[in-house]
Amino acid sequence: MMGKFIFITGGVVSSLGKGIAAASIGKLLEARGLKAAMIKCDPYLNVDPGTMNPFQHGEVYVTDDGAEADLDLGHYERFTNIHVSRDSNITTGKIYYSVITKERRGDYLGKTVQIIPHITDEIKRDIMKASRDSKADVTIVEIGGTVGDIESLPFLEAIRQMRWELGEHSAIDIHVTLLPYIKAAGEQKTKPTQHSVGRLREIGIIPDILLCRTERPISKEQREKIALFCNVEKEAVVEASDVEHIYEVPLSLKEQGLDDLILKRLNIKRADKGLSNWKRYVVDRLKNPKHEIKIAVVGKYISLPDAYKSIYEALVHGGIANNTKVNIHKVDSEDLEKGKSLDPFLADAQGILIPGGFGERGIEGKIAAVQYAREKRIPFFGICLGMQVATIEFARHVCGLKEANSTEFNKSTAVPIISLLEEQKHIKHLGATMRLGLYTCKLIKDSKSFQAYQQESINERHRHRYEFNNEFRKTLEAKGFVFAGQYPQKGLVEIIEIKDHPWFVACQFHPEFQSKPDKAHPLFREFIRAALKRVNK
Ligand code: GLN
């Protein structure tokens, strides 16, 4: 079978959960025995989101092959068995960069280089390449932004052309839209959806299926009205109502037969394997947990839910594995001041997690939170910057190295316990110059980490510049710091633990990117398990 395509666009407003809808469709296709691939097209001019502020863009997701990518790729991997890569995220910046490079090289042989056909051809080529390389039966292409944005026009034109070129039954268009409910009128409104579909039709895209985000059920009359005015069949008006947990979305879409609808349109016949495991293990446990727990996440981007997306999800996964509802208590590290009691922020947490981050702001608050967790024997999980501050704290307060710091925060510190490697010191550009993507880590057997993974060699994703400075290894070890994992080729420290503590584990990599609802990451699973023990004391 030649690879087929599903193009997903969004209308009316942003933040409709298009990424989750797309990921859920990927899940539905896999449940029908199809191999799916997923691509996110982002219309912004940044080449990748690597240098973007998390407050604006949310988390930067990292792929196995070290791409800094849009956070929707995280949803794709969490919901499906797909492995995303560098090719799974196409931005306007990437497309222009490539076209302009070709132009400078003279590849266009003197032609005038234009948005159509050169930019659109480049987009089509990248989509086709990603699809071909993945050997997928069906490739889902999500177009970021909202229909009507100037920026996304070249992407829409490219997918319009692709559908035309691929021919019947080879591609379909799904439009995710909003049916707002006007309380004062007591009515659900279809007009914004009609306008959005009208806008799509003007540029030659005729949606086959509408996924209507709505707070209330769609009545029969409204469904008929939407079908008539938007040129879709009644059965193709699918209700995407608000659900309690995002992992319920695939079930709710399947109940309405969205997978049958898609397969019919793409002329594919496959048996249905169903989603009963997902329902039983993920959704039922989320809805009826046996235990409940409170975990404090101490970071500087806590006001934006998307900034630590994968961390929050991985905590939920750790909860599912332990049949536990995880209540996440977000603590702004800048609120934790030195010398002031941390009790009001942390006393009732059964576990404390410090996620990754960049820059000096809020660092002292994080160090104070580590000290609190260490001294009060609260299970602690540090990730990337979280490992670096845990190391600084231990050096300062246990080893007496009062000036211990990272050269990221104090270039001339007398005790550079976290620093750049010699080979990195000349780097000037900020884009993609970090240790990025998968690296192997060897674990020592006598460690909490080994107990969690149950294997000696693991592969985890990275995104950082600074490293533990091995000159200080012995000093810390002598006081009970455990170097539980390292990258053998270069002797870089990947995991640290504290011996005399119920559960104090911190890693230089980002385990959150490989956690799934039906397969929690071992460290998140064990962190929640340790935290639960504290509750039960
Ligand atoms: N800023 C630190 C570094 O670059 C940590 C990065 C992170 O937490 N992702 O090494």
Side-chain angles (χ1 to χ4, degrees):
M1 177 172 105
M2 201 194 114
K4 305 198 176 201
F5 289 86
I6 299 175
F7 299 119
I8 301 183
T9 52
V12 185
V13 290
S14 58
S15 306
L16 283 180
K18 204 155 26 105
I20 291 170
S24 300
I25 291 171
K27 179 95 204 146
L28 295 188
L29 295 180
E30 287 189 345
R32 301 300 293 259
L34 291 163
K35 182 165 169 45
M38 300 197 67
I39 299 172
K40 173 80 192 284
C41 295
D42 279 309
Y44 49 73
L45 276 162
N46 304 64
V47 173
D48 63 40
T51 51
M52 280 158 96
N53 184 337
F55 273 127
Q56 278 211 355
H57 185 265
E59 138 188 304
V60 173
Y61 191 73
V62 180
T63 61
D64 277 351
D65 60 350
E68 298 175 277
D70 185 77
L71 58 79
D72 275 329
L73 269 64
H75 294 307
Y76 301 168
E77 287 202 323
R78 286 188 282 272
F79 279 74
T80 69
N81 294 313
I82 295 170
H83 285 282
V84 294
S85 74
R86 181 170 297 287
D87 292 340
S88 316
N89 198 184
I90 303 173
T91 64
T92 297
K94 202 171 178 181
I95 295 290
Y96 272 73
Y97 196 78
S98 161
V99 168
I100 291 171
T101 307
K102 287 181 185 167
E103 186 274 335
R104 292 288 81 188
R105 231 174 23 215
D107 290 8
Y108 296 111
L109 305 173
K111 288 208 187 81
T112 308
V113 181
Q114 295 177 298
I115 292 182
I116 300 171
H118 300 98
I119 293 294
T120 45
D121 279 355
E122 191 76 18
I123 295 171
K124 287 195 288 181
R125 190 165 31 240
D126 278 6
I127 293 176
M128 289 306 276
K129 178 182 182 297
S131 165
R132 238 184 355 257
D133 290 353
S134 66
K135 301 192 175 63
D137 300 314
V138 181
T139 301
I140 299 166
V141 184
E142 179 193 345
I143 310 293
T146 308
V147 168
D149 296 346
I150 291 175
E151 286 131 326
S152 54
L153 278 174
F155 286 104
L156 296 177
E157 171 60 12
I159 61 167
R160 181 199 69 75
Q161 291 181 12
M162 277 185 73
R163 180 168 182 171
W164 174 250
E165 287 163 354
L166 288 161
E168 227 188 339
H169 299 309
S170 292
I172 59 168
D173 284 279
I174 297 182
H175 189 52
V176 184
T177 176
L178 176 71
L179 299 179
Y181 182 79
I182 308 293
K183 243 200 209 128
E187 261 185 73
Q188 191 176 43
K189 292 295 183 187
T190 65
K191 190 72 62 95
T193 294
Q194 294 177 40
H195 280 303
S196 187
V197 172
R199 203 71 192 255
L200 270 177
R201 288 216 308 264
E202 271 171 33
I203 50 177
I205 295 175
I206 301 169
D208 302 81
I209 296 168
L210 298 179
L211 281 191
C212 304
R213 297 283 291 110
T214 157
E215 286 171 41
R216 318 219 163 190
I218 310 175
S219 67
K220 190 168 163 276
E221 294 75 38
Q222 294 292 72
R223 193 180 291 272
E224 281 168 0
K225 189 169 164 188
I226 297 167
L228 180 66
F229 290 130
C230 297
N231 253 21
V232 296
E233 287 168 30
K234 266 186 303 205
E235 55 167 16
V237 178
V238 176
E239 187 178 295
S241 45
D242 294 342
V243 285
E244 202 181 335
H245 302 285
I246 54 170
Y247 300 120
E248 286 176 64
V249 176
L251 300 181
S252 137
L253 296 177
K254 187 160 177 59
E255 256 168 40
Q256 299 175 70
L258 179 60
D259 51 338
D260 288 332
L261 207 60
I262 291 172
L263 264 60
K264 193 168 102 192
R265 294 296 165 108
L266 289 174
N267 200 19
I268 300 172
K269 289 193 178 63
R270 287 293 171 104
D272 191 357
K273 294 198 273 181
L275 290 174
S276 54
N277 282 347
W278 182 268
K279 177 176 182 308
R280 222 180 17 248
Y281 184 78
V282 179
V283 177
D284 290 353
R285 281 186 173 208
L286 276 172
K287 294 199 148 183
N288 300 300
K290 283 214 172 70
H291 319 280
E292 198 162 337
I293 200 174
K294 187 168 183 176
I295 300 291
V297 173
V298 182
K300 69 173 174 180
Y301 304 119
I302 44 116
S303 59
L304 187 81
D306 276 355
Y308 300 123
K309 189 88 212 156
S310 295
I311 297 267
Y312 295 149
E313 289 309 314
L315 283 170
V316 171
H317 306 162
I320 294 172
N322 287 288
N323 230 321
T324 298
K325 175 170 188 214
V326 180
N327 296 308
I328 298 172
H329 173 51
K330 300 172 184 172
V331 179
D332 189 334
S333 48
E334 286 186 282
D335 291 341
L336 306 180
E337 286 172 42
K338 242 187 161 170
K340 276 206 186 148
S341 167
L342 269 48
D343 284 346
F345 301 96
L346 300 174
D348 59 350
Q350 281 99 47
I352 296 177
L353 184 149
I354 300 191
F358 293 83
E360 201 187 349
R361 198 157 53 79
I363 285 297
E364 292 303 324
K366 288 181 190 172
I367 294 174
V370 176
Q371 185 172 14
Y372 191 89
R374 182 177 55 77
E375 289 175 349
K376 302 219 182 282
R377 303 177 61 75
I378 303 172
F380 173 83
F381 193 8
I383 292 176
C384 207
L385 181 66
M387 181 193 104
Q388 299 176 351
V389 292
T391 309
I392 295 170
E393 193 280 326
F394 194 85
R396 283 189 192 172
H397 303 130
V398 181
C399 305
L401 300 167
K402 299 226 159 14
E403 287 178 50
N405 213 335
S406 164
T407 55
E408 180 178 5
F409 316 128
N410 179 1
K411 273 207 168 55
S412 53
T413 173
V415 187
I417 196 135
I418 307 292
S419 66
L420 290 178
L421 300 177
E422 267 317 305
E423 66 209 49
Q424 293 173 305
K425 291 191 177 155
H426 62 276
I427 291 173
K428 294 221 164 41
H429 292 288
L430 285 185
T433 54
M434 290 186 263
R435 182 142 81 102
L436 283 165
L438 275 194
Y439 284 83
T440 303
C441 167
K442 277 254 155 43
L443 302 176
I444 59 166
K445 283 216 159 140
D446 184 16
S447 64
K448 302 236 170 45
S449 305
F450 182 82
Q451 273 168 23
Y453 284 96
Q454 291 293 318
Q455 66 195 59
E456 245 176 292
S457 179
I458 55 163
N459 290 296
E460 293 282 2
R461 297 184 196 172
H462 289 248
R463 180 173 182 255
H464 59 100
R465 282 194 184 85
Y466 295 82
E467 307 279 353
F468 174 76
N469 183 345
N470 273 318
E471 279 175 36
F472 298 93
R473 198 170 173 135
K474 290 230 153 60
T475 316
L476 271 68
E477 232 158 18
K479 296 282 187 183
F481 216 53
V482 180
F483 294 91
Q486 70 169 14
Y487 170 44
Q489 277 86 336
K490 287 196 167 178
L492 299 176
V493 170
E494 300 282 30
I495 309 181
I496 61 96
E497 297 178 6
I498 291 178
K499 212 176 233 141
D500 179 29
H501 190 285
W503 207 88
F504 191 108
V505 178
C507 50
Q508 189 56 83
F509 50 78
H510 288 274
E512 70 272 23
F513 295 140
Q514 295 200 77
S515 188
K516 288 175 187 258
D518 49 355
K519 197 166 184 283
H521 188 283
L523 293 179
F524 278 91
R525 188 191 66 221
E526 293 311 302
F527 172 54
I528 299 294
R529 194 198 302 278
L532 267 172
K533 283 194 193 135
R534 187 173 169 89
V535 182
N536 297 338
K537 250 205 288 205

